[in-house]
Amino acid sequence: MVAQITALVPTFNRGALLAEAIEAILLQKRAVSQIIVWDDGSTDNTSDIIAPYLRNEGARIDYRRAENAGKSAALNQAMELAQGDYIWICDDDDIALPDATQKLAAILDKKPEVGLAAGAHNRFSTAPESGAKELSDAGYWPNLTSGSPLRHVLEDIFFFQNATLVRRACYDKVGPFSVDLARSIDYDMTVRLMTRYPAEVIEDTVFLQRKHDGERGPAWQRHAAKSSDDVWRNADKVVFERLRDRIPLSLYEAMFDCDTPELCTRAALLQRGAVYARRRDWDQALEDFEAAVLIRPELALSPEECRIAIRAVAGKHGAQELFEPATRKRILDISKRAAAGKSLARALSRGAVWRLREAIKGKNPTEVLAITALLAALPPWSIPTATGRTLTERDRLPLEAYAW
């Protein structure tokens, strides 16, 4: 029996864009058997836009309206009505490409161990004069040829719900969307899913993400698109503060293959530290880094461990807190802890060099001075020599790693 797909479309005051989003769902090459449009208390013409679809039985649309309670509440209520084996959450302002469900469902059909299939996207805007779509790239997209999808997602989200198909059973396992989060509920749910189930990510473009200047976020906490970067960075930090004690260190350990278990633990601590550094939460990051260098302190970091530390400084949200005096002092203390501490400080300095180039390019003299002060205090970067140890990063985690 062919698995059925349910599309959930939460919407709020996007009547002008909603029809285009729905049309794209209806034109999928692999048909969507159920479309649930959940109107989260819109005050515009949303009900008028949806009315023609409700008169068309072939559209397969179930329209519900409730008082405004935010996207999480809308999705949780819509999920209760979903009958499909696979769930596809579609934003009301984006456009799915015709083969989106075909490509993503094929992965879940063939690989029962995979809980989540995801693809890439392009961005677009509409030219005000002609109405033509002007395409641009996805923005941040990691190098997926190395490292697990989970590691990449923990470091930075790079795909979105419109590009994601998830088994309904997986949503049932991890629980509802968090209604107490104002933002980043998609990222929160993606991490919760991917820390419980294997995921597969393809680089095929499956939807177009609309760029526009309208307000975003729930009704009680709207923000303009121009302030989006700061808003989402702070929201992501809150999400990971909540997740820190919920994701076991053993899951980070499973990202590595090592002939010495304690060095897998060291790499895991470094990796978790890198995740929090990229959230600009350097207090949590340094807590992990300090714990890591206490494990076999006489052994310098391996090349793989150095790459983790370099990535800690390379997050898309910047690393300003790294260059503050209090953080600099803690890193200097780490650098004095035998070979492991010195090599970690060197790796962080290598990442800081890249940040220095960016600050110079951006003509930010204050940041240039702060980074220079850190680099002057740390041991110079050097390529680690072979240690005779074997530590490699896995591209896929063992299935048992998810059973926690």
Side-chain angles (χ1 to χ4, degrees):
M1 183 177 176
V2 177
Q4 300 296 295
I5 301 171
T6 292
L8 307 183
V9 186
T11 188
F12 176 69
N13 283 352
R14 289 270 175 78
L17 306 175
L18 181 60
E20 196 170 9
I22 291 175
E23 289 292 339
I25 297 171
L26 293 172
L27 291 173
Q28 290 299 300
K29 292 179 180 178
R30 175 156 170 176
V32 174
S33 60
Q34 180 189 27
I35 303 171
I36 301 172
V37 177
W38 194 278
D39 185 346
D40 189 37
S42 295
T43 57
D44 64 356
N45 64 338
T46 293
S47 59
D48 295 330
I49 294 297
I50 202 73
Y53 294 101
L54 302 182
R55 292 193 291 268
N56 178 3
E57 292 184 4
R60 309 175 300 280
I61 292 179
D62 184 354
Y63 172 68
R64 302 298 177 97
R65 175 173 160 66
E67 292 300 314
N68 183 270
K71 186 177 181 181
S72 288
L75 285 171
N76 290 338
Q77 293 174 92
M79 192 77 73
E80 293 180 3
L81 305 176
Q83 299 171 2
D85 307 287
Y86 303 157
I87 302 296
W88 186 27
I89 296 174
C90 299
D91 285 342
D92 55 4
D93 57 343
D94 296 329
I95 302 173
L97 296 183
D99 54 2
T101 53
Q102 184 181 68
K103 289 180 175 179
L104 298 176
I107 297 170
L108 299 183
D109 291 344
K110 294 176 183 177
K111 300 182 178 182
E113 75 280 5
V114 171
L116 177 153
H121 65 282
N122 284 328
R123 295 171 174 173
F124 80 97
S125 56
T126 302
E129 301 84 7
S130 64
K133 289 183 174 59
E134 299 176 342
L135 296 179
S136 58
D137 63 25
Y140 174 73
W141 189 267
N143 178 6
L144 296 176
T145 61
S146 176
S148 65
L150 175 59
R151 189 266 284 175
H152 286 293
V153 162
L154 288 172
E155 288 187 345
D156 280 308
I157 192 65
F158 57 97
F159 60 81
F160 296 93
Q161 283 186 322
N162 280 50
T164 308
L165 202 62
V166 181
R167 296 184 194 278
R168 169 61 190 270
C170 297
Y171 279 117
D172 292 340
K173 171 76 173 181
V174 303
F177 285 85
S178 299
V179 295
D180 56 343
L181 286 175
R183 299 183 177 87
S184 290
I185 64 165
D186 307 348
Y187 196 2
D188 174 67
M189 178 56 78
T190 297
V191 171
R192 286 161 56 194
L193 287 165
M194 290 181 63
T195 54
R196 285 292 189 173
Y197 296 97
E200 182 159 325
V201 182
I202 58 175
E203 302 206 42
D204 300 38
T205 299
V206 296
F207 90 98
L208 303 180
Q209 184 185 53
R210 190 185 301 268
K211 294 171 62 179
H212 54 81
D213 296 326
E215 291 191 329
R216 301 172 185 270
W220 62 88
Q221 203 173 23
R222 305 293 272 170
H223 69 276
K226 64 183 179 181
S227 65
S228 185
D229 287 347
D230 289 341
V231 168
W232 292 115
R233 180 183 68 241
N234 293 332
D236 290 353
K237 185 176 179 181
V238 170
V239 165
F240 276 82
E241 286 173 353
R242 294 158 52 111
L243 289 171
R244 183 171 176 86
D245 294 331
R246 301 181 190 178
I247 302 174
L249 188 63
S250 62
L251 201 60
Y252 288 94
E253 290 172 334
M255 295 178 187
F256 303 96
D257 188 12
C258 184
D259 52 8
T260 308
E262 62 184 341
L263 292 179
C264 268
T265 300
R266 186 168 86 171
L269 286 166
L270 292 171
Q271 180 59 64
R272 189 171 68 179
V275 167
Y276 282 85
R278 291 170 73 98
R279 305 276 85 73
R280 287 175 57 175
D281 190 342
W282 279 90
D283 284 337
Q284 296 287 4
L286 288 169
E287 182 179 311
D288 282 333
F289 290 163
E290 288 162 350
V293 299
L294 294 177
I295 299 174
R296 300 297 299 271
E298 78 283 4
L299 291 179
L301 267 59
S302 66
E304 187 65 64
E305 290 171 307
C306 287
R307 282 190 283 272
I308 298 169
I310 292 170
R311 290 200 304 271
V313 191
K316 64 184 180 184
H317 293 311
Q320 283 86 334
E321 291 78 6
L322 171 62
F323 311 116
E324 293 175 355
T327 309
R328 184 168 69 236
K329 181 180 183 305
R330 290 180 69 178
I331 294 174
L332 283 173
D333 289 342
I334 287 174
S335 72
K336 298 170 185 176
R337 296 180 186 177
K342 181 176 289 188
S343 58
L344 173 57
R346 283 175 172 171
L348 291 172
S349 74
R350 179 65 183 88
V353 168
W354 180 81
R355 284 291 174 198
L356 177 61
R357 295 194 189 106
E358 291 297 299
I360 294 172
K361 188 187 302 183
K363 298 181 180 179
N364 187 336
T366 301
E367 191 164 315
V368 168
L369 289 173
I371 299 172
T372 302
L374 174 67
L375 292 172
L378 294 179
W381 164 252
S382 60
I383 299 173
T385 57
T387 61
R389 293 171 285 133
T390 300
L391 176 73
T392 56
E393 184 181 13
R394 292 182 168 126
D395 294 335
R396 293 184 180 278
L397 277 61
L399 286 179
E400 57 268 22
Y402 299 95
W404 51 273

